[in-house]
Amino acid sequence: MSFSFSPHQLSCCPRLPPEFCRISCSINRTANADIQRFEDAKERIRNMFRKAELSTSAYDTAWVAMAPSPAASSTPCFPGSIDWILENQLHDGSWGVLGHRDSSLVKDSLSSTLACVLALKRWSVGEEQTTKGLDFIVSHFASAMDEEQHSPIGFDVIFPSMIEKALNMEVNLHLAPSDIDAVLRKKDLELKRIRGKDSKARNLFLAYISEAMGGSQDWKMVMDYQRKNGSLFNSPSTTAAAFSALQDPNCYSYLSSVLQKFANAVPTAYPLDAYFRLHMVDTLQKFGINGYFKEEIASALNETFRLWEQGNEEIFSDVITTRMAFRLLRDDGYDVSSELLAEVHDEDCCFHQFGGHSEDIRSLLELFRASQLRIYAHESYLEKQATNSRHFLEGRISEHSTKADRFRKNLIQEVADSLKSPYHANLERLQSRKLIEQNNLDEIRILKSSLSCTNFCNKVLLQLAKDDFSYCQSIHFQEFKQLQRWLAECKLDQLAFSRQKLSYCYFSAAASFSSPELADARISWAKNGVLTTVVDDFFDVGSSEEEQLNLIQLFDKWDAGKSIQTCSENVHVIFSTVQDTIYEIAEKACTWQDRNITNHLVEIWLTLVKSMWKESEMARNKSVPTEEEYMDNGYISFALGPIVLPALYFIGPKLSEEVIRSNEYHNLFKLMSTCGRLLNDYQGFQREAEEGKLNAVSLHMLRENGTISKEDAIREIRQTIEDKRRELLRIVLRGDVGVVPKVCREVFWKMSKVLHFFYMKDDGYTSDDMKGVVKAVLHDPID
């Protein structure tokens, strides 16, 4: 059995269910080797936070190697880089990303190999290596003109420029003149297109590919982009080109420091420590194993926020890093302004409008993700980019649907998944499973050369995520079996009028609270989900007016005990089951809260049944409420109170009477429930209209005296949902400010996600369309 907790962790948790404790004992006896493997994996990942290893770039190292010494132009300034080139040629004669060969990166290999050949020729060394490198270029030259191949940034200018440089150095390329003419024409066309852009875009891009521009480069313009660390764009190749032309001491200091760190070689971009820290946080969260690395993640985000507050180049010099930092910081409750995203947007548009690589897709994907964390009405930039970035990404999916290379396929799949499951409807457990099964951990960014985090691209994280998912799934399966027995023992499955939705109710719990120690929260959530479905159906189609009043009286006179008789078997089954469940939850909650919460649980249920009675009365009397009257009752009758509110007692923090009576607590509940009610009403409008029922959509149309169409009414309802959802998220992400603890506020957001997931296409709770995802979380093993 795979698992995710050490014996110490298991034995130290006093609230684990008996089934979990028995598994713990079994693990203690039989799985010591697996436990050690699990702990070793966690330690390796912790080490990644301390030191992210970037892959070296033969391309950039070659341009550094070509830099002449300020003291004597006939000798190399960095001879160690020449030695590195001589020692690191690959068996096929090429140079490239060491340890990461891929057929999709042929253009990268061509650029890297030609740059290394030029470096060796520049200093008249490595004749044998030069010959082998030229052979590789000749045999793969057709890829340079292949539009289907993955292109590094600026390839259509840089590679032809290196061809010209080789010809000027009298290198015998063994290429047909027609092939050389073809790539040179392509360069001319690309430069013509670039020079047709606005001056800011043109200058930025031409500065970035300075090594390709030779004597025609405007170096004064280029040096306007020099950063505090002495580099140009954190790019060793661009910086080396500037140093070769100008002998700038700050360029020299930057190159020397990078060479010292990477032992005579350089990556294609440095520093990118902030990016890789954020990438690790993001990956651990997406794979659902961030709970094991809370300290490391908190430290990484605190450091990121410090850099953000300073306006540090490490965050803001790379637009992907900027957008990821904003998203992860805001999602964790940090107060970060979206205005800074707008400030870097112009540079991003300039940089990525030249196309031909995946960075524009990755950048816009990060912008799309960031835009979904809009929490203020005035964040017009995020609102605009939520639409613009979606349209851009949808176009890229269509454009690249037939592309063969692996990197674009993986990236396009990531884009498709993000568009299909936006932030507000993304259930983390489903996302984790999908990522594990896709087995895609490679983090390759194609800049002028390929960049990978070699220490991160391994099986350790994947195995850790799979162990965690499988073990939690085994716990969930046992809990689900326990709930099935409960359902049969209570005879709820024998109520003919009621929908049987146990699997959906438990799925929503397991997808929201997967950790084994949150078993009490899951059981409470699922049982009350089943009971609210039964009671909803009872008031809707399964009871008389007398039975409804009887049930309300039983809740209202709770302390009267058995002195009040049930008037039917259905009422008896329902009330006795709710009563037993309330006592069970209250008893368990006492160990978490150190107080009796029975009265609060009864109050939640009484409020619900009274609201359902009011709905039934309106239907019986055929009365037409105003929209406001309908919603004042409807957010309660949507029946999320018994599901969400008791579960909060099992999340961790102690919740006092002051907290549960606070305006913030009530506002969180009302916003969440209003979203649910409106989602239900607009997705179920057609069905309910055919049944003669009024809901928010039909009442909105009535209020406008028939002057508004169904489509317009639904559009306005959806806008209201978006506004309420944004307000809910703003409260949830308010850091440690507020009366309700942040971890409890997040529960309201988790339920909101569940609701948006179920109602994404139609009324998923009423239909059977969700059976596949339920099985994926609860039953089906990971392939």
Side-chain angles (χ1 to χ4, degrees), residues 697 701 706-715:
V697 177
M701 294 169 68
T707 61
I708 186 173
S709 68
K710 178 188 74 173
E711 290 73 21
D712 287 340
I714 288 176
R715 190 177 300 112

Side-chain angles (χ1 to χ4, degrees), residues 191-209:
L191 284 173
K192 182 178 180 180
R193 185 173 72 89
I194 291 169
R195 288 180 173 129
K197 303 293 181 181
D198 66 86
S199 59
K200 183 176 181 180
R202 179 179 66 248
N203 290 346
L204 179 69
F205 193 72
L206 293 179
Y208 181 65
I209 60 169

Side-chain angles (χ1 to χ4, degrees), residues 171-366:
V171 176
N172 189 352
L173 295 173
H174 303 292
L175 294 171
S178 59
D179 290 339
I180 294 176
D181 290 343
V183 295
L184 295 181
R185 282 196 303 273
K186 194 169 187 180
K187 172 194 170 185
D188 292 339
L189 288 172
E190 184 67 5
L191 284 173
K192 182 178 180 180
R193 185 173 72 89
I194 291 169
R195 288 180 173 129
K197 303 293 181 181
D198 66 86
S199 59
K200 183 176 181 180
R202 179 179 66 248
N203 290 346
L204 179 69
F205 193 72
L206 293 179
Y208 181 65
I209 60 169
S210 285
E211 66 269 30
M213 302 310 294
S216 65
Q217 183 62 287
D218 179 355
W219 290 109
K220 183 177 183 302
M221 176 272 292
V222 171
M223 295 307 287
D224 287 340
Y225 297 101
Q226 188 171 39
R227 294 177 179 168
K228 293 177 182 178
N229 61 11
S231 77
L232 280 305
F233 308 101
N234 286 346
S235 167
S237 55
T238 308
T239 309
F243 174 69
S244 297
L246 305 174
Q247 302 294 300
D248 180 78
N250 293 321
C251 290
Y252 174 82
S253 297
Y254 168 78
L255 293 171
S256 297
S257 66
V258 180
L259 285 166
Q260 184 175 7
K261 181 176 179 62
F262 290 91
N264 295 324
V266 294
T268 199
Y270 184 82
L272 276 183
D273 291 356
Y275 169 78
F276 280 113
R277 279 197 301 268
L278 291 167
H279 171 66
M280 288 177 64
V281 171
D282 190 37
T283 302
L284 293 171
Q285 289 179 350
K286 288 191 293 190
F287 274 81
I289 53 176
N290 49 302
Y292 301 117
F293 307 99
K294 291 180 180 178
E295 291 184 9
E296 290 78 12
I297 289 173
S299 176
L301 292 180
N302 281 334
E303 174 64 10
T304 301
F305 184 62
R306 185 183 69 82
L307 296 174
W308 180 281
E309 290 279 272
Q310 295 174 350
N312 193 287
E313 285 184 345
E314 195 172 351
I315 296 293
F316 293 101
S317 63
D318 178 67
V319 72
I320 294 177
T321 303
T322 307
R323 290 167 176 174
M324 189 184 296
F326 171 82
R327 172 171 59 86
L328 293 176
L329 287 173
R330 176 164 282 191
D331 192 37
D332 204 57
Y334 289 85
D335 184 15
V336 287
S337 170
S338 61
E339 292 179 5
L340 291 174
L341 290 184
E343 289 178 15
V344 301
H345 180 75
D346 285 344
E347 178 174 330
D348 179 56
C349 288
C350 294
F351 201 71
H352 293 305
Q353 64 178 279
F354 297 100
H357 51 83
S358 63
E359 285 294 283
D360 57 342
I361 301 176
R362 195 181 299 277
S363 174
L364 266 294
L365 177 57
E366 276 303 328

Side-chain angles (χ1 to χ4, degrees), residues 401-643:
S401 60
T402 59
K403 301 292 185 181
D405 81 71
R406 178 169 69 86
F407 294 107
R408 269 183 287 196
K409 274 189 174 181
N410 288 343
L411 185 55
I412 291 301
Q413 182 61 54
E414 188 178 355
V415 168
D417 291 342
S418 295
L419 295 179
K420 182 180 178 182
S421 300
Y423 175 77
H424 61 267
N426 182 32
L427 301 186
E428 288 84 354
R429 212 61 189 160
L430 281 174
Q431 176 185 251
S432 298
R433 181 186 178 109
K434 183 177 291 187
L435 288 172
I436 294 168
E437 290 184 328
Q438 287 174 353
N439 190 13
N440 177 22
L441 275 176
D442 286 346
E443 175 54 19
I444 304 295
R445 290 185 62 182
I446 312 296
L447 303 173
K448 283 189 286 189
S449 178
S450 301
L451 175 72
S452 70
C453 185
T454 56
N455 201 18
F456 204 68
C457 298
N458 54 57
K459 297 180 180 179
V460 176
L461 189 146
L462 185 66
Q463 188 60 52
L464 188 66
K466 183 176 180 179
D467 284 351
D468 177 78
F469 188 96
S470 298
Y471 185 58
C472 288
Q473 189 181 55
S474 71
I475 299 300
H476 300 159
F477 183 75
Q478 293 299 322
E479 290 174 358
F480 183 67
K481 289 294 186 183
Q482 173 189 336
L483 287 167
Q484 285 180 315
R485 291 192 293 271
W486 165 79
L487 191 71
E489 289 167 1
C490 297
K491 300 182 180 179
L492 293 175
D493 57 346
Q494 297 178 22
L495 297 175
F497 60 82
S498 179
R499 292 164 291 172
Q500 298 300 312
K501 296 294 180 181
L502 172 61
S503 60
Y504 283 15
C505 294
Y506 184 74
F507 159 78
S508 67
S512 301
F513 315 105
S514 61
S515 298
E517 66 270 22
L518 295 178
D520 288 341
R522 284 192 297 276
I523 296 298
S524 171
W525 180 295
K527 283 188 175 182
N528 281 315
V530 170
L531 289 170
T532 53
T533 302
V534 169
V535 173
D536 182 48
D537 292 341
F538 173 80
F539 276 92
D540 199 19
V541 296
S543 61
S544 64
E545 185 175 353
E546 178 191 3
E547 287 176 309
Q548 293 174 6
L549 288 170
N550 184 214
L551 183 61
I552 292 171
Q553 187 183 30
L554 288 164
F555 281 108
D556 199 23
K557 305 297 183 182
W558 182 273
D559 293 334
K562 297 183 178 180
S563 60
I564 301 174
Q565 299 299 312
T566 55
C567 67
S568 70
E569 179 63 18
N570 285 349
V571 173
H572 174 75
V573 168
I574 292 171
F575 181 73
S576 61
T577 305
V578 173
Q579 186 179 51
D580 290 344
T581 303
I582 285 175
Y583 284 137
E584 175 194 319
I585 290 172
E587 183 179 357
K588 287 181 179 179
C590 198
T591 64
W592 290 75
Q593 300 293 324
D594 295 329
R595 68 187 185 91
N596 190 338
I597 65 164
T598 304
N599 289 340
H600 184 220
L601 300 181
V602 174
E603 177 188 322
I604 292 168
W605 271 102
L606 179 60
T607 303
L608 173 62
V609 294
K610 284 184 175 180
S611 72
M612 289 182 170
W613 160 261
K614 190 171 183 178
E615 258 185 17
S616 296
E617 276 288 271
M618 285 189 291
R620 278 191 289 268
N621 298 331
K622 300 189 183 302
S623 58
V624 179
T626 65
E627 273 189 276
E628 291 73 18
E629 290 171 338
Y630 174 79
M631 288 305 303
D632 284 346
N633 187 70
Y635 83 88
I636 299 171
S637 66
F638 191 63
L640 296 182
I643 302 172

Side-chain angles (χ1 to χ4, degrees), residues 651-758:
I651 298 302
K654 286 183 169 55
L655 302 178
S656 66
E657 281 292 313
E658 179 187 2
V659 171
I660 66 172
R661 303 298 173 192
S662 67
N663 290 333
E664 180 180 274
Y665 181 93
H666 177 71
N667 198 24
L668 286 162
F669 172 69
K670 185 174 183 179
L671 288 168
M672 170 195 68
S673 298
T674 299
C675 286
R677 168 54 69 193
L678 294 178
L679 282 166
N680 173 83
D681 284 11
Y682 95 75
Q683 290 288 24
F685 168 72
Q686 194 62 43
R687 171 177 51 82
E688 293 189 330
E690 292 170 359
E691 295 171 357
K693 295 180 180 178
L694 294 172
N695 70 15
V697 177
S698 54
L699 288 172
H700 190 64
M701 294 169 68
L702 285 172
R703 189 187 73 174
E704 301 298 329
N705 297 317
T707 61
I708 186 173
S709 68
K710 178 188 74 173
E711 290 73 21
D712 287 340
I714 288 176
R715 190 177 300 112
E716 292 181 16
I717 292 292
R718 292 181 67 172
Q719 183 59 55
T720 302
I721 294 170
E722 184 178 335
D723 294 341
K724 297 297 183 184
R725 186 177 69 229
R726 185 172 63 243
E727 187 178 351
L728 173 63
L729 185 59
R730 182 168 66 250
I731 299 173
V732 171
L733 298 184
R734 206 162 49 189
D736 293 327
V737 179
V739 177
V740 181
K742 184 173 186 290
V743 68
C744 294
R745 297 200 303 269
E746 289 171 349
V747 175
F748 293 96
W749 182 247
K750 288 177 184 293
M751 173 53 93
S752 177
K753 282 187 167 188
V754 168
L755 296 170
H756 281 85
F757 178 80
F758 270 102

